[in-house]
DNA sequence: CGAACAGGCGCC
DNA sequence: AAAGGGCGCCTGTTCG
């Protein structure tokens, strides 16, 4: 059974409608006084809940209600719109409803705008429950026609929404005192009145001195370029890899400055004050926010937590973190996708194994070769290495090269489960634009499939933990890495659940493929511990 | 003055 | 040795 739910205005009545699996309404609409009976329906029937969007589940969680399964109408609409070749077109509930009635949809409301319609909005009053029911039924028809892979993707995307909301609600354990200590060690004591911390100020002085004492702001690329030009170094940019190539006394302090300045501005004391509360960091995750289906995040740069402050992520006393990441996920996905299984035999380090067989034991070469194949790099000596790969793994290389050609020719490419890339834009016939789109579609097929493998793992892991009544909680997810927060006594069992979920994810995507997706697992107190 | 863009760099 | 796929977010700079 499925149940569509409209939580309505805060503290108001909650409307629900029971549905058959094909989306057809069963019986009549029901009105609940609040969200508490939802928990009861969950216990009794364990339905798949049909929500308009993540915000609906956020309301349930705020009321202390969680559920096992969901169908997120707006996320699924995004997948279906994309599959029809219209990635980026509006996919909110209002847009989906308009499409259902043959009208041209208006643009989606801005992200994060979940409130009631603005006071002065003049459109007709909408009935969210009716719209959810109607759009969901249409989506079930579309998914039935699209096939089992697309249905798996829709379920996994929706499960991702549940995980994302639960992670935001629970928060990532974050110790402000540890973070503060790290910052003080690296930057010097926090300046009371703002301005540059002592170590940054000292480095800025060194840069100035290296340019003969002439004042400059190291944060201004234009000023830095001018200073180097006066010293006889004509640079294109001030990127660190370009700076490293020249011989000038300002380079070393400038590089050190850039590194610390970034830490200070992106994850310094003001970040700590803004984003960490009560020992938890609560970023908002945007499921499917990246074209490839990877998640994005809103606020706090959650998916770019620098290594330098990871020690601040620490389990509560008596608890542990289970840190698990999929080893070399993307090349393994390519091996499974293309059927070129020799590329990813066994569970050992894939680059080392490849290097031993093809690149004279040079792991760096093997890694560069594979990444170049997936990203479309040709320069930097990658060309020679690619020739080796092409000879040795023709099916794998052919797979990404077909995707690149499709992109260059303006066609669409799809992930294994059917996530579809955006259509070519006008002007893509221009050679440079065509090559750029080729690099994009080449990477898309791999990155998007890797993202859905990770999503299925996440969904499986969540259901396993629920089924086992494990006290372990998912607290972080970053592309191919998962963090659980768990009482120490339950850590081993949680780690086993991660391994099992990875196994299941591989099977659900690729059936009997011999390609393995090993997880590197560690049970630690601090995220920085190896 | 704020908005929009560019440069740069953190993560995968 | 050279600098490529996807993001978010900071500062500096320019534009309206």
């Amino acid at each position: 059974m499925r149940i569509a739910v409209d939580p309505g205005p805060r503290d108001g009545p909650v409307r629900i409608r029971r549905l058959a699996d094909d989306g057809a309404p069963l019986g009549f609409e029901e009105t609940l006084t609040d969200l508490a009976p939802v928990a009861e329906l969950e216990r009794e029937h364990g339905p798949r809940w049909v929500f308009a969007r993540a915000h609906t589940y956020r309301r349930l969680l705020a009321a202390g209600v969680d559920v096992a399964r969901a169908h997120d109408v707006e996320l699924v609409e995004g997948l279906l719109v994309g599959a029809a070749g219209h990635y980026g077109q509006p996919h909110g509930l209002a847009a989906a409803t308009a499409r259902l009635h043959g009208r041209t949809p208006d643009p989606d409301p801005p992200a994060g705008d979940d409130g009631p319609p603005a006071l002065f909005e003049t459109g007709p009053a909408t009935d969210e429950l009716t719209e959810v029911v109607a759009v969901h039924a249409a989506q079930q028809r579309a998914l039935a026609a699209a096939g089992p892979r697309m249905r798996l993707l829709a379920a996994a995307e929706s499960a991702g929404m549940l995980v994302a909301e639960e992670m935001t609600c629970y928060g990532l354990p974050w110790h402000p005192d540890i973070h503060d200590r790290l910052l003080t060690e690296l930057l010097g004591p926090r300046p009371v009145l703002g301005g540059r911390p002592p170590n940054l100020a000292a480095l800025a002085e060194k840069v100035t001195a290296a340019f003969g004492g002439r004042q400059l702001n190291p944060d201004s690329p234009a000023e830095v370029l001018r200073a180097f030009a006066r010293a006889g170094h004509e640079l294109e940019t001030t990127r660190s890899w370009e700076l490293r190539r020249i011989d000038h006394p300002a380079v070393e302090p400038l590089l050190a400055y850039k590194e610390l300045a970034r830490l200070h501005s992106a994850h310094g004391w003001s970040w700590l004050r803004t984003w960490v509360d009560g020992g938890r960091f609560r970023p908002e995750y945007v499921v499917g926010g990246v074209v490839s289906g990877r998640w994005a995040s809103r606020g706090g740069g959650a998916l770019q937590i620098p290594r330098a402050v990871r020690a601040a992520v620490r389990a509560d006393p008596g608890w542990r973190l289970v840190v698990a990441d999929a080893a070399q996920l993307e090349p393994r996905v390519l091996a499974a996708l293309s059927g070129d299984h020799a590329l990813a035999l066994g569970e050992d380090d894939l680059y080392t194994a490849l290097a031993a067989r093809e690149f004279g034991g040079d792991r760096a070469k093997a890694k560069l070769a594979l990444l170049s194949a997936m990203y479309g790099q040709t320069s930097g000596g990658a060309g020679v290495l690619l020739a080796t790969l092409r000879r040795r793994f023709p099916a794998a290389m052919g797979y990404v090269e077909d995707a690149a050609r499709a992109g260059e020719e303006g066609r669409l490419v799809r992930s294994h489960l059917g996530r579809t890339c955006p259509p070519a834009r006008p002007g893509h016939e221009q050679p440079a634009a065509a090559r750029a789109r080729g690099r994009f579609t080449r990477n898309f097929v791999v990155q998007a499939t890797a993202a859905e493998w990770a999503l299925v793992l996440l969904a499986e892991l969540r259901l396993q933990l629920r089924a086992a009544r494990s006290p372990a909680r998912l607290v972080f997810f970053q592309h191919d890495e998962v963090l659980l927060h768990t009482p120490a006594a339950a850590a081993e069992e949680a780690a086993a659940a991660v391994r099992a979920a990875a196994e299941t994810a591989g099977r659900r995507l690729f059936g009997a493929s011999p390609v393995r997706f090993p997880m590197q697992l560690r049970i630690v107190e601090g995220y920085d511990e190896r």
Side-chain angles (χ1 to χ4, degrees):
Chain A
M1 183 173 62
R2 296 181 171 227
I3 304 180
V5 52
D6 172 10
R10 204 162 286 280
D11 298 325
V14 174
R15 299 160 63 206
I16 63 167
R17 189 88 196 244
R18 300 177 200 233
L19 310 170
D21 278 349
D22 67 357
L26 302 170
F28 297 97
E29 181 183 317
E30 298 163 57
T31 304
L32 315 174
T33 50
D34 54 31
L35 286 164
V38 168
E40 207 171 306
L41 288 163
E42 169 73 7
R43 271 194 307 275
E44 267 178 44
H45 304 288
R48 186 173 292 275
W49 293 90
V50 180
F51 299 145
R53 59 187 73 86
H55 190 254
T56 308
Y57 191 46
R58 196 171 307 180
R59 291 277 307 280
L60 265 66
L61 287 175
V65 178
D66 61 355
V67 305
R69 290 181 173 78
H71 175 115
D72 182 314
V73 165
E74 296 194 342
L75 283 178
V76 172
E77 189 71 12
L79 294 172
L80 292 170
V81 164
H86 302 123
Y87 180 91
Q89 293 291 309
H91 60 273
L93 180 62
T97 302
R99 221 172 266 124
L100 207 53
H101 295 117
R103 299 196 307 268
T104 306
D106 291 326
D108 287 333
D113 178 15
D114 312 295
L119 198 55
F120 301 108
E121 204 161 289
T122 51
T126 58
D127 178 346
E128 180 166 306
L129 185 63
T130 304
E131 292 183 354
V132 164
V133 168
V135 172
H136 169 256
Q139 291 181 345
Q140 288 302 87
R141 289 193 290 277
L143 288 172
R149 288 186 183 178
M150 199 68 189
R151 289 198 290 278
L152 173 56
L153 181 57
E157 191 92 329
S158 298
M161 176 278 288
L162 298 176
V163 174
E165 291 303 318
E166 288 165 7
M167 290 200 315
T168 301
C169 183
Y170 187 91
L172 179 63
W174 197 285
H175 284 237
D177 47 337
I178 298 177
H179 189 164
D180 177 67
R181 198 191 70 227
L182 292 169
L183 292 174
T184 304
E185 279 167 16
L186 292 163
L187 301 166
R190 177 164 76 101
V192 181
L193 299 173
R196 283 191 183 124
N199 297 1
L200 265 185
L203 285 166
E205 278 308 309
K206 278 190 183 172
V207 173
T208 296
F211 283 123
R214 189 168 171 155
Q215 281 299 326
L216 91 163
N217 178 5
D219 289 321
S220 166
E223 283 186 42
V224 171
L225 283 184
R226 280 198 292 276
F228 275 113
R230 277 195 297 273
H233 296 280
E234 296 287 346
L235 295 169
E236 292 285 317
T237 73
T238 63
R239 292 198 178 96
S240 53
W241 58 265
E242 197 171 345
L243 291 175
R244 263 186 271 274
R245 292 190 338 204
I246 63 171
D247 182 22
H248 187 278
V251 169
E252 191 195 317
L254 183 55
L255 290 173
Y257 176 91
K258 278 166 164 283
E259 198 177 327
L260 290 182
R262 173 153 181 103
L263 178 66
H264 179 237
S265 68
H267 284 92
W269 288 285
S270 99
W271 180 93
L272 186 55
R273 235 171 60 95
T274 309
W275 292 107
V276 177
D277 188 37
R280 294 287 189 268
F281 170 39
R282 289 193 176 77
E284 196 173 324
Y285 298 92
V286 187
V287 174
V290 178
V291 178
S292 64
R294 281 183 175 182
W295 292 10
S297 67
R298 210 163 20 225
L303 303 183
Q304 294 99 241
I305 300 170
R307 293 180 186 283
V309 299
R310 288 191 179 178
V313 180
R314 198 173 173 80
D316 293 347
W319 288 54
R320 297 291 183 273
L321 299 172
V322 176
V323 183
D325 72 283
Q328 301 125 14
L329 177 58
E330 296 196 350
R332 290 176 192 279
V333 160
L334 175 57
L337 270 175
S338 63
D340 216 335
H341 301 141
L343 185 58
L345 290 176
E347 303 212 345
D348 296 338
D349 181 86
L350 192 144
Y351 302 128
T352 304
L354 179 60
R357 283 180 292 157
E358 309 295 336
F359 295 100
D362 189 337
R363 186 181 185 277
K365 265 190 188 172
K367 184 172 178 176
L368 176 62
L370 262 181
L371 293 179
S372 301
M374 292 184 297
Y375 290 163
Q377 180 183 344
T378 50
S379 54
V384 198
L385 304 177
L386 282 175
T388 303
L389 285 187
R390 207 171 286 122
R391 196 170 59 244
R392 189 67 187 72
F393 304 107
M397 295 303 109
Y399 195 91
V400 286
E401 280 163 11
D402 283 352
R405 197 170 318 110
E408 287 175 14
E409 292 171 0
R411 288 180 279 136
L412 298 172
V413 296
R414 301 179 200 275
S415 71
H416 186 66
L417 294 185
R419 193 184 301 270
T420 306
C421 78
R425 289 188 309 212
H428 75 90
E429 306 86 355
Q430 304 300 323
R435 279 195 302 276
R437 187 157 190 279
R439 284 194 299 275
F440 166 65
T441 50
R442 168 195 293 265
N443 184 252
F444 179 92
V445 292
V446 178
Q447 189 183 114
T449 305
E452 60 206 17
W453 177 89
L455 203 54
V456 171
L457 172 143
L458 205 58
E460 292 290 343
L461 176 57
R462 176 176 178 276
L463 283 183
Q464 267 194 56
L465 294 173
R466 284 180 73 92
R469 306 223 181 281
S470 167
R473 292 291 175 268
L474 277 157
V475 290
F476 193 58
F477 171 60
Q478 177 173 244
H479 311 315
D480 60 359
E481 182 177 17
V482 166
L483 257 72
L484 300 170
H485 189 225
T486 172
E492 285 296 345
E493 193 184 296
V498 174
R499 282 209 183 80
E503 189 81 17
T504 306
R507 241 189 353 264
R508 295 200 64 183
L509 259 72
F510 302 115
S513 167
V515 173
R516 300 268 71 84
F517 295 94
M519 299 297 288
Q520 291 177 341
L521 270 146
R522 52 191 207 269
I523 297 172
V524 292
E525 293 182 47
Y527 188 20
D528 59 317
E529 295 166 33
R530 299 308 311 175

